[in-house]
Amino acid sequence: MKYIFVTGGVVSSLGKGLTAAALGTLLENRGLKVTLQKFDPYLNVDPGTMSPFQHGEVYVLDDGAETDLDLGHYERFTNVKLTRLNNLTSGQVYQTVLDKERRGDYLGKTVQVIPHITDEIQNRIRQLAEQSKADIVITEIGGTTGDIEGLPFLEAIREFALNAGRDNVIFMHVTYVPFIKAAGELKTKPTQQSVAKLREIGIAPHILICRCEKPLDKELRQKISLFCNVPYEGVIEEKDVDHSIYEVPLMLQRERLDDMVCKLLNLETPLPNMTHWQDIVRKLIAPRHRVSIGVVGKYIELQDAYKSVYEAVIHGGIANDCGVEIVRVDAEDIERDGPDKLLKSLGGILVPGGFGERGIEGKIIAARYAREHKLPYLGLCLGMQIATIEFARNVLHLEKAHSTEFDPNTPHPVIGLQEDQKKVSKKGGTMRLGSQVCQLTVGSKASALYGAFFVHERHRHRYEFNNAYRDRFEKAGFSICGNTPDGKLAEVIEIPDHPFYIASQFHPEFQSKPNQPHPLFKGFIAAAHAEMHHRTL
Ligand code: GLN
């Protein structure tokens, strides 16, 4: 078993997760079985209780784990199916240790960060190694070297490496080489200092991934190699990508990162075959068609809040050889300025998941606009609830219809709390979570897109379609074409008399990959492209 530990230096947001994922792509394409794991130093048990403003998207796994968005990159870039073992927070580590302490497992001992917390961290690496049966475990340590809260994780991986043996462990440090305009050059000092910090803790990196805006020349690489005590070939340039994050594996391959890794770990494997990946990147750089998609949300100013949604839309574009311009529309702007100005030029409208009342009316206006103007609409989770409320109010004329999440006293609660949510009082990890089966109606557009009648999709919600209104909706042309196999829970709706109006209670975006675009996104982009094309004729 081989291990790669990925740390980050100088600043956050360098794309450590992306780099780890891209390395995963290369190693998988060399025929190795990899798995990826993320350690997050914060004290929350999982990111499920954090606002997107704090943490970006919460990425949901098949088993219902609410995890860091880097796990989304791992699943999109590789074939790994992740489980809750793949994301560990300080909160989980402390919870486990404190539970053991109360049980008396450490009876007589003083419970301490070293060795009890660090042992527990190492246990998780071993547990994943055993469960995954992977050749290589890539473990990313969140945060930046020098953070106080990250220290137990760094100590744990240092100890782990000591026991695992020299040929079996690589430390890869992702660092920043800034371009200083006034000097007109790239500067290596922050990298040197960050590596010094790591070495103080007892970790000497084997590989440095240098994030930079401009290319690293030979001299600079030599300098970094000398001052950081890393072999010349271990100094890897990772320049900002021009077009797409999916260029990163190819970029790192050109830098021979995977060669270096295999050499250090004594792995004899063929060179990776990346032709399919090159084809993906070609379609992203020079697509044959173009389309613009409006994403109507409330966190649109944040880069990361709808990460998987944006990625899945781009995958839908790849499937149609179509470059997608994503127009982020603030739902509150629609409330203020009306839909025409903001939505008129779009090929399709997407309303993603969300919680809380702000912007809800703007999203309802957007759904109405899409329905009435026959503009393709894709609703995800809250986006399906929005479509339901809109249809209730404007087609069924159920005045003040709403979700009880936003108006507990609505006369028409077309969306209400799920029965088994009514007894839930704790907030963490208590929604309807993870992969569930959905049965699609024969003859529906959704089943035609999937090419299947039973699909597994991931969930994260507390509210549901209120079955008391089912007949009225169905009779008026709002088809509930996806349901749990017991028929109790509405999972997919569509309006058959519309070019593309589909919404799901689940989150299809979590299962889309650049090389396996999700069928709903593929269909949505195809419809949006047809709509724009039609308009120009
Ligand atoms: N707030 C809604 C619910 O809890 C939708 C959740 C979501 O979009 N993920 O049901």
Side-chain angles (χ1 to χ4, degrees):
M1 191 71 77
K2 309 281 182 180
Y3 302 89
I4 302 173
F5 293 105
V6 183
T7 55
V10 186
V11 286
S12 60
S13 302
L14 287 180
K16 269 199 315 282
L18 207 57
T19 305
L23 176 59
T25 315
L26 291 172
L27 295 176
E28 250 188 11
N29 282 289
R30 281 178 167 254
L32 295 161
K33 187 168 159 55
V34 296
T35 188
L36 293 113
Q37 182 179 40
K38 170 96 193 265
F39 288 168
D40 280 308
Y42 51 71
L43 283 171
N44 301 60
V45 170
D46 63 42
T49 53
M50 276 187 250
S51 143
F53 283 110
Q54 291 281 313
H55 190 268
E57 164 187 279
V58 174
Y59 186 76
V60 182
L61 305 181
D62 272 351
D63 68 0
E66 297 176 278
T67 70
D68 184 77
L69 55 82
D70 277 324
L71 277 82
H73 290 311
Y74 303 168
E75 286 201 329
R76 285 188 282 273
F77 277 78
T78 68
N79 297 313
V80 216
K81 269 270 180 250
L82 305 172
T83 73
R84 55 181 75 248
L85 282 183
N86 297 68
N87 194 187
L88 179 70
T89 66
S90 291
Q92 286 171 34
V93 179
Y94 278 90
Q95 201 172 45
T96 313
V97 170
L98 292 177
D99 283 347
K100 283 189 181 172
E101 189 275 335
R102 291 290 83 183
R103 253 198 336 254
D105 290 8
Y106 308 113
L107 223 49
K109 294 202 191 87
T110 308
V111 182
Q112 293 179 297
V113 172
I114 305 173
H116 301 102
I117 294 294
T118 47
D119 277 355
E120 209 50 61
I121 296 170
Q122 293 185 64
N123 277 346
R124 185 57 85 88
I125 305 168
R126 270 182 230 111
Q127 246 176 314
L128 179 65
E130 273 162 34
Q131 183 239 38
S132 66
K133 309 227 170 356
D135 302 312
I136 302 187
V137 180
I138 303 177
T139 303
E140 176 194 348
I141 319 295
T144 309
T145 313
D147 295 347
I148 291 176
E149 56 178 15
L151 281 173
F153 288 97
L154 296 176
E155 170 62 16
I157 60 173
R158 182 191 70 75
E159 289 175 20
F160 188 91
L162 197 66
N163 298 321
R166 233 187 10 182
D167 287 351
N168 299 325
V169 177
I170 291 179
F171 290 111
M172 186 166 110
H173 190 57
V174 181
T175 178
Y176 185 45
V177 182
F179 178 76
I180 304 298
K181 262 209 210 104
E185 54 185 49
L186 291 165
K187 290 292 185 187
T188 66
K189 190 75 77 195
T191 295
Q192 294 176 38
Q193 285 177 345
S194 162
V195 171
K197 194 102 216 140
L198 265 184
R199 287 166 64 188
E200 236 170 67
I201 305 166
I203 293 175
H206 303 85
I207 295 175
L208 290 177
I209 306 284
C210 302
R211 295 281 293 106
C212 46
E213 285 168 63
K214 306 220 182 260
L216 287 183
D217 61 22
K218 194 169 166 208
E219 216 177 307
L220 224 59
R221 286 181 197 241
Q222 276 166 343
K223 187 170 170 188
I224 294 173
S225 162
L226 179 69
F227 282 100
C228 298
N229 200 31
V230 167
Y232 182 79
E233 318 83 75
V235 181
I236 306 282
E237 167 194 297
E238 189 183 321
K239 235 162 47 92
D240 294 350
V241 286
D242 294 327
H243 303 277
S244 150
I245 55 170
Y246 299 110
E247 290 173 63
V248 177
L250 300 177
M251 214 158 75
L252 295 177
Q253 185 190 18
R254 279 197 295 277
E255 287 285 305
R256 310 188 60 158
L257 172 65
D258 52 316
D259 267 355
M260 179 76 185
V261 164
C262 290
K263 200 173 90 191
L264 285 167
L265 293 176
N266 264 331
L267 290 166
E268 297 257 350
T269 61
L271 290 176
N273 179 355
M274 297 294 288
T275 39
H276 66 291
W277 205 269
Q278 279 155 357
D279 188 48
I280 290 169
V281 172
R282 197 283 297 155
K283 284 184 182 149
L284 288 165
I285 295 177
R288 215 161 286 162
H289 316 288
R290 296 215 172 260
V291 68
S292 37
I293 297 295
V295 174
V296 181
K298 78 170 174 185
Y299 304 114
I300 43 116
E301 70 274 26
L302 298 176
Q303 196 62 26
D304 284 343
Y306 303 120
K307 189 90 207 161
S308 296
V309 174
Y310 295 148
E311 292 308 316
V313 167
I314 288 165
H315 304 161
I318 295 172
N320 290 285
D321 208 340
C322 202
V324 187
E325 184 205 1
I326 297 175
V327 181
R328 304 173 185 197
V329 184
D330 190 330
E332 286 180 296
D333 288 346
I334 299 183
E335 288 168 15
R336 199 174 334 108
D337 306 334
D340 280 320
K341 200 177 94 210
L342 293 157
L343 307 178
K344 205 171 61 202
S345 60
L346 301 169
I349 293 174
L350 188 154
V351 176
F355 298 82
E357 209 186 341
R358 193 161 60 79
I360 290 294
E361 291 303 322
K363 293 176 189 175
I364 294 173
I365 299 170
R368 177 177 196 170
Y369 185 91
R371 184 177 55 77
E372 292 182 343
H373 290 78
K374 303 259 185 235
L375 201 58
Y377 177 86
L378 182 63
L380 310 174
C381 203
L382 177 66
M384 174 182 127
Q385 300 176 355
I386 292 287
T388 306
I389 298 164
E390 189 281 313
F391 198 87
R393 288 185 189 173
N394 301 318
V395 180
L396 302 179
H397 305 294
L398 303 174
E399 230 179 286
K400 297 197 176 140
H402 222 318
S403 161
T404 53
E405 179 180 1
F406 312 120
D407 178 5
N409 302 316
T410 167
H412 293 292
V414 288
I415 303 290
L417 201 57
Q418 294 168 62
E419 207 40 53
D420 40 2
Q421 284 289 328
K422 291 186 179 153
K423 43 186 184 295
V424 169
S425 58
K426 283 190 183 166
K427 287 275 186 270
T430 55
M431 282 186 247
R432 177 172 181 248
L433 287 166
S435 183
Q436 316 268 347
V437 189
C438 159
Q439 183 169 5
L440 299 167
T441 310
V442 179
S444 63
K445 200 175 282 173
S447 74
L449 290 171
Y450 275 99
F453 298 121
F454 288 93
V455 297
H456 291 82
E457 292 283 7
R458 298 180 188 175
H459 297 73
R460 183 171 188 254
H461 67 119
R462 290 190 204 281
Y463 292 82
E464 62 173 334
F465 183 92
N466 181 347
N467 285 328
Y469 291 89
R470 218 175 240 263
D471 287 348
R472 277 185 262 181
F473 274 85
E474 294 265 16
K475 279 198 192 102
F478 185 94
S479 166
I480 300 167
C481 62
N483 292 282
T484 46
D486 63 8
K488 287 196 180 140
L489 223 133
E491 292 273 34
V492 186
I493 65 94
E494 63 185 43
I495 297 179
D497 184 23
H498 188 287
F500 189 106
Y501 195 98
I502 300 185
S504 66
Q505 187 56 78
F506 48 72
H507 291 270
E509 69 273 22
F510 292 141
Q511 294 201 88
S512 188
K513 294 172 189 242
N515 49 359
Q516 290 159 41
H518 191 285
L520 292 182
F521 285 89
K522 182 176 167 185
F524 175 53
I525 299 298
H529 174 245
E531 160 67 25
M532 286 186 96
H533 185 67
H534 177 78
R535 236 184 279 157
T536 55
L537 293 180

